Amino acid sequence: MSIEPIGRVVGTERKPNTPHEFHFWTAPDSPIGIGALVKLRVDRPRPVTVYGIVVDGAAWTDVESALHDYIGMEGRPAPDFPIPTERPEIRVYTAAVLRHEPEEPLQPVPGGPVYLADDEDVRVALRMDAYAKPGGTGIPIGLYTAAGLQAPVYLDADFLLGPEAAHLNITGVSGLATKTSAVLFLLASIFEYFGRTGASVEGLRARGSGLGELRAAPGPAAPGHRAQGSGLRELRAASDAQPLSPEPQALSPDAEPQALSPDAEPQALSPDSPTVAALCFNVKGPDLLFLDQPAELSEEDRAQYARLGVPAEPFRKVRYYAPYKPDGFNLNTLRTNEALTHNVEPLVWGLEQILDFAEVLLTREDVDAKADALIEFIRDRVVGREWSDGTTRTHRVRTFQELEDWFEDVLDVCEQNNWQAWKTHHVATIRKVRNRLLNLSTRAKGLVSNDATVNDLPWGAFEDRTVYVIDVANVEPEAQDLIFARVVNEARERLERGALGVDHLIVFVDELNKYAPGDGPDTYVRKMLLDISERGRYLGLVLFSAQQFRSQVHKRVVGNAGTAVYGRMDMDELATPGYATLSPATKSKLATLPKGELMIRHPHFTQPIFVRFPRPAVLAGREGVKRFEPAYELPFEDAVARHLKRLDRSISANAVKDLIAGREEAEVLEALHRTQQHRPENVLAFFRGCLRKKVERETVPAGGAPGERRGAVELPDDPYA
Amino acid sequence: MLATKLRSLARGADSPFRAAVAGPESTPLEAHGDPITEADAEVIEPGLDRLGAHRVGAPSVSAFTAFLDGIQRSAVALYHGPVPIVYAYAAAVVRTRVDRRMTTLETGDVAGGLRTRYQEEREGVFFPFRYVSPDAIRAAGVADAALHDTSPPDGEPLPLFPPAIYARAAEAVNRWRESLEGTLADRWCRESEDGWLLVDGSLTLTNELARCPRAVGVVKSHRTRFFDGDDARTLLALEPGERSSVFRPGTRSFTPVYSWYLRLRSAAGRDAFFGLVRVEAAATDETLERADEISRWLLAETAPLSLPDTRWDRLLYPIRDCEEYLRTRAPRL
């Protein structure tokens, strides 16, 4: 508690104090502002401490009418005659109560001196004392800053990632990088704290041992991360033995830390620690394409990272996925610079992957009840099984090509027998469904393959503290929907079975105005988002969503978000009923929030809190594409060579080019996809084996080869003849 | 506190006291103001034998650093038969200006706790002991120091006539308040080493104040007529920024002061006294030399305006600040 009070609670008849609100005056030069936390403590008539957050303010002088001042100034705003005395000006602030101590009996706030909150006050006022402690569930979201104070503000992981509550929704105008930056910082914070809350590597870092080095250590998936936890312990022990910093931070075994702080005793992950990964959809330009590249941070940013105990480093484990462009060999992403392709993989799906989500691409007009029945029939009884009933031959449908063959066979049978229906399905329905389904591969070209090629997310082997980014920024909207629907559905099903590889998956979806609008058609994607919002917390499927206009997002999506974050807001948006509970001053502050500042609502906070967060330690998309210029539209041979080099960096591009010279693109692509899918040890040999055997071209000299008898005329241009 | 004690005397059916009931018919004690008087005045401005008008120049940076004013509140708290028992509150303060902001003057070692705060507050009970025994009031726990006898000096009659009792009480409360102001004024005169003191009202509160070379009094009310005829026409016709010649009021022969009238604001279309104040300063040659300069300081002190006070044309803003400060502390009667 600051020693000197900065104001005094005053209740008047017109503005009385209540149990949930109080008023206090301060001097004009007081550091109090909207969003500041204050504390009132009185001992009489009974000891009470009340914490509040300033939500409104008013100032006035003793001048009763503007006309009086006008007359006094002789009508001159800056008079040239002396004005020896300044009118007294009073500042009266209104504070919303955050907490009473004791909680009962709940009474109107008494009069008394008001103090600025200190670190401990912030912790207690926001009820963080229940969880932001060693062994607790605190996740730093930012710093509460006022009057020189920089107090960490923690979210409760149980209410952010489940099971008590879950999901986070962030809203704010575009162009200020607030939404994405905030989510990236929070992900870094979650990765640092979740499961080992109380751990702060800052003590280690101060000694010169970087978490980055620890994180860089190779290791398999989740167990690997746990191994890192052990590493932390070892490192800490080592650093205790030989402090590297000239001013080592005290890690007294006798001290019993009550609050999380950068000085807190680091705690490593235990084998029982929950695991978490993030799945991000990059929906705009290069926003999320350089999460593994470091940004240049200011000293202020670094100080904030240090204060929050989060390493100022990019994400160590990031995997990128992007569909191909329609050409089938160039990835549809801006992360194509050769220096960055080591962790970029194509996202290619076949029939089996998308048939369950055909509704995403098919409109209601396409799929009536009859068509739906046939699709269900195909899905349940044809795809992936042997089928010979009612066809001329046995089919095993796994690809769109094989599905087309099956349809042809069925329609041939109907035609030959002059049947109007096949297995109760009318021929017209069969033709219609055939056209619609086979058209899917065209409509999502680059994502959907006609053959059996599949390159998918590592379902079942998701790794702890890893970010998976799917770049759909340049993908057609229908294909975007398809990707989103299938990925989220698969994640949900696997989390239900405990078969994803991690306990919690954070799905970050931007542009919720587009994917889950409050009005408009009830799309598959919106249904999925609603489902995550309402059921996800039980499963560990957590939605981090962002949009410009919260008021235009489906109410159940934002309503189920336990934590709401607000960046700078548009005044029109703030005028909507959803913000009616905010004071005019808070709205004004929201409308002018600078970069890096947010307003947070969280179940433990009885009032929204303003915090600052550091710039993400990852390279911003715009800078990323400058530094790592994308390799646009590579020629076919170069693209194939690069894909193979990504699997094995020792492969020579010329060797690949020689291997595929003169071959059909489709053949080469099939071989490439099979190689990508199998990830063999000897990449080039496997790739070669996937190519059809090539008959070497021979040039026959005039008059034939000497000493060689030929039985037939050879056609040198056709190696398969 | 004192008012509460007084009210307790009215409890009980056999009490000789009755609590006063406030109402529109109540006679306000403040109604018994100073009477209009006449006094001689001697023009002492060199080279002049009658009052003249002098332009003082544009307002200049004021040298006033301290401002003294006092307030009083009084009301009939009880009746003992027909005799009113008056409760009064008086306070005085010296406010100082630091970085253009007003605050109560404190001197001494503030950190060490040996500070002197230029502020006095008193509560008192005023009534004629001749008609009501002070013991009856003491019974409520009122200290002797708070008891003030409004009986005339021995031998003089005091009719049992409430207006006369009110008048004597009002006069006594005035003197009581002035004594508080005088206490602070003397302290300032003794202890201050630089700066100027601006006093609301006459400097003749005390002899020490009247002699203080860095004190100026500003009298807003014009209950004493010093001039008539052409002299009166001259002073009543002063234009804004003009002062009268310096004169010596004949009312204060014990500790003389010098005085002059100063027009702060234009009275065009208004009462002749609008914006007119009478300035007092020590009766020294320096005062004669600095009359214009002091007047320019006073003109500067007219900004900001003292509205909505009804005396805004003559009430200098720092003096209003003193009043406002004291009013916030005064009990509500």
Side-chain angles (χ1 to χ4, degrees):
Chain A
M1 189 168 68
S2 59
I3 297 167
E4 291 296 326
I6 48 88
R8 189 171 178 83
V9 172
V10 57
T12 62
E13 200 165 340
R14 288 175 63 187
K15 279 192 170 182
N17 299 317
T18 66
H20 60 270
E21 187 179 82
F22 61 93
H23 312 279
F24 65 96
W25 58 260
T26 69
D29 56 356
S30 148
I32 284 289
I34 302 302
L37 297 190
V38 293
K39 171 183 171 177
L40 159 80
R41 181 171 178 81
V42 293
D43 293 324
R44 295 169 63 186
R46 65 188 181 99
V48 174
T49 305
V50 180
Y51 301 91
I53 179 169
V54 175
V55 295
D56 212 345
W60 63 87
T61 67
D62 61 352
V63 66
E64 195 171 63
S65 155
L67 188 61
H68 296 171
D69 201 50
Y70 175 82
I71 295 169
M73 296 291 143
E74 305 286 358
R76 283 176 277 179
D80 51 4
F81 52 83
I83 302 174
T85 312
E86 206 167 81
R87 289 183 183 276
E89 180 181 334
I90 188 170
R91 299 270 167 95
V92 175
Y93 290 97
T94 301
V97 171
L98 290 165
R99 190 172 188 177
H100 288 260
E101 274 193 340
E103 307 266 4
E104 294 293 342
L106 189 60
Q107 294 182 342
V109 177
V114 173
Y115 303 85
L116 274 175
D118 61 17
D119 274 21
E120 180 59 18
D121 293 333
V122 173
R123 230 166 63 84
V124 175
L126 300 181
R127 298 166 194 274
M128 297 189 302
D129 50 335
Y131 60 90
K133 57 188 178 184
T137 51
I139 304 283
I141 177 74
L143 292 167
Y144 160 78
T145 57
L149 183 68
Q150 290 205 326
V153 173
Y154 298 86
L155 303 179
D156 186 347
D158 284 349
F159 288 77
L160 180 65
L161 305 178
E164 303 297 343
H167 314 306
L168 175 141
N169 180 264
I170 180 165
T171 193
V173 296
S174 288
L176 288 174
T178 300
K179 300 193 289 286
T180 306
S181 298
V183 168
L184 291 178
F185 170 73
L186 184 58
L187 284 180
S189 182
I190 290 169
F191 283 8
E192 182 58 34
Y193 277 77
F194 183 59
R196 58 174 168 201
T197 298
S200 167
V201 294
E202 204 52 36
L204 289 174
R205 295 175 58 73
R207 292 171 165 83
S209 51
L211 182 71
E213 295 155 30
L214 288 168
R215 286 180 158 188
H225 190 84
R226 284 164 185 149
Q228 288 175 15
S230 307
L232 272 170
R233 283 198 204 98
E234 290 158 16
L235 259 179
R236 194 177 147 261
S239 58
D240 280 346
Q242 189 177 3
L244 300 176
S245 164
E247 292 177 5
Q249 298 190 11
L251 288 173
S252 164
D254 303 327
E256 192 174 336
Q258 294 302 310
L260 278 181
S261 80
D263 304 325
E265 181 102 1
Q267 290 184 352
L269 284 172
S270 75
D272 300 327
S273 296
T275 52
V276 61
L279 176 63
C280 303
F281 291 90
N282 183 59
V283 296
K284 285 182 302 189
D287 272 8
L288 302 173
L289 296 187
F290 304 98
L291 302 186
D292 52 352
Q293 299 300 318
E296 285 182 15
L297 295 174
S298 66
E299 282 305 311
E300 186 186 353
D301 285 326
R302 289 190 181 280
Q304 289 182 5
Y305 272 104
R307 187 77 181 88
L308 291 164
V310 177
E313 296 174 346
F315 294 96
R316 282 286 162 183
K317 290 157 74 178
V318 188
R319 303 274 294 274
Y320 284 94
Y321 294 85
Y324 285 113
K325 290 180 178 174
D327 62 15
F329 52 87
N330 276 301
L331 285 179
N332 202 348
T333 177
L334 291 172
R335 192 182 163 100
T336 48
N337 187 292
E338 194 166 4
L340 301 179
T341 54
H342 60 282
N343 57 356
V344 186
E345 293 188 35
L347 188 68
V348 182
W349 293 340
L351 175 65
E352 283 187 62
Q353 280 72 40
I354 69 163
L355 194 58
D356 283 343
F357 303 93
E359 295 94 323
V360 178
L361 296 182
L362 301 176
T363 62
R364 286 204 176 279
E365 292 74 33
D366 283 331
V367 188
D368 54 18
K370 296 173 198 168
D372 194 42
L374 179 55
I375 292 171
E376 276 299 314
F377 176 84
I378 294 169
R379 187 184 290 151
D380 290 349
R381 301 178 59 183
V382 178
V383 174
R385 300 164 186 265
E386 285 199 351
W387 179 271
S388 58
D389 184 12
T391 53
T392 58
R393 57 192 172 86
T394 301
H395 293 266
R396 188 172 179 86
V397 177
R398 286 161 305 181
T399 68
F400 276 97
Q401 187 60 53
E402 289 164 350
L403 180 65
E404 186 171 8
D405 292 345
W406 179 84
F407 269 118
E408 289 299 325
D409 199 350
V410 168
L411 289 170
D412 281 350
V413 168
C414 291
E415 198 170 311
Q416 285 163 10
N417 296 296
N418 201 24
W419 291 345
Q420 291 301 306
W422 180 87
K423 303 239 173 245
T424 73
H425 300 288
H426 197 273
V427 171
T429 303
I430 297 173
R431 289 187 190 283
K432 179 179 175 181
V433 169
R434 184 191 69 164
N435 289 340
R436 300 296 187 272
L437 286 185
L438 297 181
N439 199 25
L440 291 181
S441 64
T442 309
R443 290 165 70 184
K445 202 169 181 184
L447 171 66
V448 177
S449 69
N450 271 323
D451 54 32
T453 304
V454 171
N455 198 64
D456 209 349
L457 292 163
W459 301 115
F462 269 52
E463 296 180 13
D464 192 18
R465 326 279 153 163
T466 304
V467 184
Y468 298 87
V469 181
I470 303 177
D471 189 0
V472 294
N474 296 311
V475 177
E476 291 297 318
E478 289 171 334
Q480 278 189 8
D481 292 353
L482 178 62
I483 291 171
F484 180 77
R486 185 189 167 245
V487 167
V488 171
N489 195 64
E490 187 77 25
R492 187 189 58 186
E493 287 184 359
R494 286 181 176 272
L495 279 168
E496 270 181 344
R497 304 199 309 266
L500 183 61
V502 290
D503 303 319
H504 298 265
L505 181 67
I506 298 165
V507 179
F508 174 42
V509 185
D510 200 352
E511 303 296 342
L512 221 57
N513 285 128
K514 177 181 169 187
Y515 297 112
D519 49 14
D522 193 16
T523 63
Y524 194 92
V525 172
R526 192 169 79 171
K527 282 185 207 164
M528 294 284 314
L529 288 167
L530 278 169
D531 189 56
I532 300 177
S533 302
E534 290 168 346
R535 295 180 56 230
R537 69 187 171 106
Y538 303 109
L539 307 173
L541 186 57
V542 182
L543 180 65
F544 280 16
S545 54
Q547 70 284 319
Q548 255 190 285
F549 307 112
R550 183 182 164 95
S551 63
Q552 294 172 26
V553 175
H554 198 290
K555 282 182 181 173
R556 278 155 55 203
V557 174
V558 291
N560 277 296
T563 304
V565 179
Y566 305 82
R568 185 187 294 184
M569 307 280 292
D570 186 279
M571 275 312 266
D572 289 343
E573 170 71 3
L574 285 167
T576 56
Y579 304 90
T581 54
L582 299 179
S583 71
T586 305
K587 287 182 186 177
S588 291
K589 177 158 179 161
L590 269 179
T592 54
L593 268 189
K595 270 186 181 180
E597 198 161 336
L598 301 169
M599 188 180 84
I600 313 281
R601 281 184 188 275
H602 188 61
H604 288 295
F605 308 162
T606 50
Q607 296 290 334
I609 301 299
F610 287 94
V611 300
R612 294 188 66 80
F613 69 97
R615 202 180 139 204
V618 302
L619 192 59
R622 203 172 294 172
E623 294 167 37
V625 288
K626 282 183 195 162
R627 196 179 302 174
F628 299 100
E629 194 175 343
Y632 294 102
E633 303 289 340
L634 286 176
F636 178 70
E637 291 84 0
D638 290 330
V640 173
R642 175 168 299 182
H643 286 308
L644 292 174
K645 272 177 76 72
R646 188 179 59 76
L647 299 176
D648 180 356
R649 298 191 74 81
S650 66
I651 291 177
S652 146
N654 285 336
V656 176
K657 288 179 183 175
D658 289 346
L659 200 56
I660 63 178
R663 292 182 183 271
E664 292 287 334
E665 276 192 10
E667 179 201 353
V668 174
L669 285 177
E670 189 176 343
L672 172 65
H673 294 160
R674 286 181 64 189
T675 309
Q676 288 173 325
Q677 196 170 345
H678 283 84
R679 297 178 179 277
E681 206 156 291
N682 189 334
V683 173
L684 195 60
F686 186 90
F687 176 68
R688 187 184 291 116
C690 292
L691 294 169
R692 287 177 222 166
K693 188 172 181 184
K694 186 176 180 182
V695 177
E696 293 298 325
R697 179 187 297 185
E698 289 182 33
T699 304
V700 181
E708 187 177 326
R709 187 178 176 279
R710 289 182 178 275
V713 176
E714 191 176 351
L715 299 174
D717 287 337
D718 184 359
Y720 300 108
Chain B
M1 252 335 245
L2 181 58
T4 308
K5 287 179 180 173
L6 290 178
R7 279 196 296 274
S8 70
L9 287 170
R11 291 184 195 134
D14 54 348
S15 170
F17 293 99
R18 289 289 175 269
V21 179
E25 73 287 355
S26 305
T27 306
L29 215 61
E30 282 70 20
H32 307 277
D34 296 334
I36 294 172
T37 58
E38 295 178 9
D40 295 333
E42 177 192 357
V43 175
I44 57 165
E45 187 109 6
L48 295 175
D49 56 358
R50 53 176 300 178
L51 208 63
H54 308 262
R55 180 151 289 282
V56 300
S60 61
V61 176
S62 170
F64 292 115
T65 54
F67 307 87
L68 168 64
D69 196 9
I71 64 164
Q72 65 193 55
R73 294 278 184 277
S74 53
V76 178
L78 298 168
Y79 288 99
H80 187 276
V83 180
I85 310 294
V86 172
Y87 163 83
Y89 166 88
V93 69
V94 176
R95 301 271 283 171
T96 187
R97 187 161 54 200
V98 180
D99 291 337
R100 300 178 61 218
R101 288 192 184 170
M102 302 296 292
T103 183
T104 301
L105 180 62
E106 285 184 333
T107 58
D109 182 7
V110 176
L114 301 172
R115 60 184 181 179
T116 305
R117 189 171 173 83
Y118 281 72
Q119 182 178 334
E120 296 287 345
E121 288 178 290
R122 299 279 191 282
E123 288 180 305
V125 191
F126 293 78
F127 59 96
F129 290 5
R130 195 176 295 176
Y131 288 120
V132 180
S133 166
D135 291 342
I137 305 298
R138 287 191 191 102
V142 179
D144 279 353
L147 299 175
H148 299 269
D149 186 8
T150 59
S151 305
D154 288 343
E156 287 187 31
L158 175 64
L160 187 57
F161 179 57
I165 298 174
Y166 284 135
R168 289 204 61 83
E171 196 179 317
V173 172
N174 271 342
R175 284 199 304 273
W176 183 57
R177 186 253 307 158
E178 285 175 353
S179 73
L180 293 184
E181 294 176 350
T183 304
L184 292 182
D186 287 353
R187 192 189 302 166
W188 188 90
C189 292
R190 280 196 306 274
E191 296 178 357
S192 76
E193 293 172 354
D194 51 16
W196 285 67
L197 175 69
L198 180 60
V199 179
D200 183 49
S202 174
L203 284 190
T204 54
L205 285 172
T206 68
N207 292 333
E208 187 163 1
L209 178 62
R211 285 194 291 267
C212 181
R214 288 178 288 109
V216 173
V218 173
V219 182
K220 303 187 296 293
S221 60
H222 302 285
R223 310 291 293 178
T224 305
R225 182 174 64 78
F226 293 102
F227 299 99
D228 198 1
D230 289 344
D231 286 345
R233 286 185 187 282
T234 299
L235 82 89
L236 294 176
L238 288 174
E239 292 291 318
E242 284 184 347
R243 67 167 177 85
S244 70
S245 305
V246 178
F247 61 94
R248 184 189 350 242
T251 47
R252 308 289 181 182
S253 57
F254 184 68
T255 305
V257 293
Y258 286 172
S259 184
W260 66 91
Y261 284 91
L262 174 66
R263 180 74 73 183
L264 301 175
R265 303 180 190 282
S266 170
R270 298 175 187 265
D271 182 83
F273 282 126
F274 183 87
L276 190 69
V277 294
R278 186 168 63 81
V279 185
E280 287 186 356
T284 63
D285 290 345
E286 189 185 356
T287 297
L288 285 173
E289 291 167 11
R290 303 187 79 158
D292 285 346
E293 186 183 12
I294 292 170
S295 299
R296 289 196 293 273
W297 299 346
L298 292 171
L299 287 173
E301 297 291 357
T302 59
L305 276 189
S306 294
L307 278 168
D309 195 291
T310 54
R311 305 159 297 163
W312 67 274
D313 57 312
R314 287 155 289 160
L315 181 60
L316 299 174
Y317 188 82
I319 298 298
R320 175 177 185 259
D321 173 84
C322 295
E323 287 189 8
E324 289 296 310
Y325 173 75
L326 294 173
R327 276 179 196 154
T328 59
R329 302 178 58 86
R332 190 183 291 181
L333 300 182

